[in-house]
Amino acid sequence: QSTWAGLRELHGIDLKALNANPTEPHLINLSNTSLTYPLSAQSTVLGRAKTCGIILGGVLMLPQHATVTRDDTGEFTLAPASPDATVHRNGIKLVAPVVLEPGDRVVVGSNHYFVFEHPQRRAAAAPPLAPLLLDYHAAVAEVQANTVTGKIEAAAAETDADQMQRLQLERGLTEIAPMVEEANAIAAKLGKELQFETRFEYDISRGLSNAATVLRVRVVHTDNGTESTWSVERFTESLEAMRDAYHTFTEFGAEALAKQQQTENAADPFADPPQDTLLGYAHLLLFSFAEGVPLQLSTPIFTTDGGYVGTVDVFLAPADAAGKPLAYSA
C-alpha cells in the first residue's frame, strides 16, 4: 500500500486510475498506456496537491495545475488552473480554456503526456474520427515544434544520410529539452547557481572524415560566468540523481539531504569540477617531419562553428629517446 501511495504522490499513478471504465471519458497516460484516468467528476483537478483528482509529480508541477470540466451536454473543457501553469493541447500552449475532442493530446507541465478519449463522442462522430494515436514521441515532438526556436535547418536537397542524421538530432532534442527544463527548475529550488542549455556542436575530434553534428548540454555557472559541456549521457545520469536529491530535500529538508549524501558517499549531481576545456581546433602540416625538419610556427585556432578564437605557437622537432632535439642536416 505504501508503494502505491509513493507512486501516486510522485507520478500520478493511482489505484483508482487503473480501474477507469474504457467506455466512459478518460485520459490515457502516454508514458504507460495501461494507465487511464477517469473523468467522471464534474470538475477534475490535475496537480501536485494530495487533494487533486489526478495527482502528478515533478518540480514544475503546481499544487493545482490544470482542470478538466464537464458540462451538462457531456462536453469537456481543459484549462490552466493558474496563469503560471503550463498546459498544452495538441502542441499549442493554452492561454484560455479549450474544448477537448476525442484524440486530443494533453500535456500538463513538462513531462506528463496524455490523450483525451470520449468513447460516446467518437461513436457518434460523422464523418468517423481518425484512429486513436498513442505515440509518446509524436506528442513530445508536437510540443517542441511549437516551442523550440532554434530548429535544425533541413536542406531541400539533403541526402538520405543527412536526413537520417537530422531526424536523429531532432528526436534527441525533443527528448532532452523537457529534461533540461526540469533540471533548471530543480537547480533553482536547491539554490544551485547553474543553468543548463541544449546546444549542437560540430565535432571533428575524430578527424574531418568522421566529423558530425552532436547534441550536448552546456552548463553555465551563473555565479562566475564559466561554462562547460556535458554529454547527453552524463546529463541524463545526473538528472536521475537530481530528482532523488530534490525528493529528499522537499520531504525531509536540507540537513537530511546533506546527511544522505555523506552517509551514502554520493556525489553531488550538480558538481562540475574544473576540467580540460576545448577552445577549438588548430591544424598542423607535418610533412616536414618526413625529412627531419623542425617545425616552428603560429597557427590559428577555430571553434567548431568556424569562429576564430586566437593562435597557438608551436615548436616541434625530432628528438632522441631521451628527449634531446636532433640536429637537422640538409
Side-chain angles (χ1 to χ4, degrees):
Q1 194 68 25
S2 61
T3 299
W4 279 109
L7 289 173
R8 173 174 166 81
E9 182 171 350
L10 289 177
H11 305 295
I13 299 175
D14 190 355
L15 279 171
K16 70 176 183 180
L18 300 180
N19 298 322
N21 186 342
T23 66
E24 295 294 328
H26 57 277
L27 292 175
I28 303 171
N29 190 326
L30 285 180
S31 297
N32 184 342
T33 55
S34 65
L35 299 177
T36 59
Y37 303 78
L39 298 172
S40 54
Q42 185 175 4
S43 179
T44 301
V45 180
L46 297 86
R48 196 177 68 242
K50 296 181 180 180
T51 56
C52 290
I54 299 177
I55 298 178
L56 303 175
V59 65
L60 299 177
M61 188 61 52
L62 300 178
Q64 293 187 334
H65 202 101
T67 60
V68 178
T69 306
R70 179 177 192 166
D71 67 14
D72 294 337
T73 67
E75 191 171 76
F76 286 81
T77 300
L78 172 69
S82 81
D84 297 327
T86 300
V87 182
H88 292 82
R89 197 273 308 254
N90 295 340
I92 305 299
K93 184 177 179 180
L94 298 189
V95 295
V98 295
V99 175
L100 290 174
E101 300 293 341
D104 280 353
R105 277 81 57 200
V106 175
V107 184
V108 182
S110 64
N111 58 347
H112 293 284
Y113 289 77
F114 305 95
V115 165
F116 171 72
E117 179 61 333
H118 195 317
Q120 295 93 335
R121 288 290 175 93
R122 179 176 293 278
L129 299 176
L132 196 62
L133 178 64
L134 302 178
D135 189 329
Y136 171 82
H137 294 291
V140 173
E142 184 177 49
V143 173
Q144 292 302 317
N146 290 282
T147 58
V148 176
T149 56
K151 298 180 180 179
I152 304 170
E153 181 179 358
E158 64 185 356
T159 65
D160 290 343
D162 291 336
Q163 183 184 47
M164 181 174 294
Q165 183 188 34
R166 175 175 60 81
L167 292 175
Q168 289 174 343
L169 290 172
E170 288 177 345
R171 184 161 186 159
L173 179 60
T174 59
E175 291 178 349
I176 201 70
M179 298 181 188
V180 169
E181 185 179 3
E182 181 183 4
N184 283 328
I186 294 175
K189 293 287 186 180
L190 298 185
K192 303 294 184 179
E193 295 177 317
L194 293 177
Q195 181 75 27
F196 298 94
E197 303 171 358
T198 56
R199 68 181 298 175
F200 291 104
E201 293 184 351
Y202 191 63
D203 184 8
I204 60 174
S205 60
R206 294 183 297 169
L208 290 175
S209 61
N210 296 311
T213 301
V214 296
L215 176 63
R216 295 201 171 111
V217 176
R218 180 168 63 180
V219 184
V220 179
H221 295 255
T222 56
D223 55 340
N224 56 26
T226 60
E227 62 180 62
S228 61
T229 301
W230 290 6
S231 67
V232 170
E233 291 75 16
R234 176 182 175 182
F235 171 75
T236 52
E237 290 176 0
S238 297
L239 179 58
E240 289 297 325
M242 293 178 198
R243 289 168 174 161
D244 291 340
Y246 174 75
H247 177 66
T248 300
F249 176 81
T250 55
E251 291 293 322
F252 307 107
E255 292 185 4
L257 174 60
K259 183 177 180 180
Q260 179 187 36
Q261 292 178 335
Q262 292 176 355
T263 303
E264 299 179 1
N265 195 27
D268 182 357
F270 296 94
D272 187 33
Q275 55 186 335
D276 293 339
T277 301
L278 178 65
L279 297 178
Y281 299 92
H283 298 276
L284 301 176
L285 296 177
L286 303 177
F287 295 117
S288 60
F289 274 133
E291 300 295 333
V293 179
L295 180 66
Q296 184 171 3
L297 53 79
S298 293
T299 188
I301 304 173
F302 294 100
T303 62
T304 55
D305 57 3
Y308 172 78
V309 294
T311 60
V312 57
D313 295 328
V314 179
F315 175 75
L316 295 174
D320 59 21
K324 180 179 179 181
L326 300 176
Y328 170 70
S329 58

